[in-house]
Amino acid sequence: MSKTYLLTGGTGFLGSLLSIKLIKKGDNLGNAFLCTKFHVYPETGYGNILKQSLENILNSQKVETINQEVYDGQHECRKCQWVNSCGGGCSFIRYALHKKFNAPFMYCGARKTLFQHIRKRIFKKETD
């Protein structure tokens, strides 16, 4: 059984939406990640709430570095008309495919096409 606790705070432009994943396998690991999906990549862990204070984790260089890499990876996204719908893509998919947070988002083109189609359909219905 696992529990996920979402906390907000942190440093950097994006701040941190931080998931604390407590994996119960006889013990609680207490590892903190950008998103719960990252638990499969231990090297992406922010720290461990059983060994460090949450304040120290949120103010750590590792959190700042990851946040900056995520921000850098969303450079093109910030100029896109769909950023509020898309959110800049999934950091986990970026990392899973490229082992870095600032890689291009593979579904960017597909999402743009989908959002354009949806907008056309909505405006078409309004004019009918």
Side-chain angles (χ1 to χ4, degrees), residues 1-5 21-31:
M1 173 190 279
S2 66
K3 294 182 181 178
T4 301
Y5 302 91
K21 182 86 171 179
L22 299 177
I23 304 171
K24 294 188 175 187
K25 293 184 179 177
D27 66 338
N28 291 326
L29 299 178
N31 296 309

Side-chain angles (χ1 to χ4, degrees), residues 92-109:
F92 177 75
I93 291 174
R94 292 173 195 262
Y95 192 85
L97 293 175
H98 303 284
K99 299 300 181 266
K100 57 185 185 176
F101 293 98
N102 56 1
F105 184 57
M106 71 176 288
Y107 297 119
C108 179

Side-chain angles (χ1 to χ4, degrees), residues 10 14 20-22 31 36 39 41 43 49 63 68 75 77-78 80 85 96 102 113 115:
L14 296 177
I20 307 298
K21 182 86 171 179
L22 299 177
N31 296 309
T36 57
H39 76 278
Y41 298 108
E43 70 274 13
I49 62 168
V63 169
Q68 187 62 51
H75 174 74
C77 304
R78 290 190 298 278
C80 178
S85 300
N102 56 1
T113 300
F115 295 143

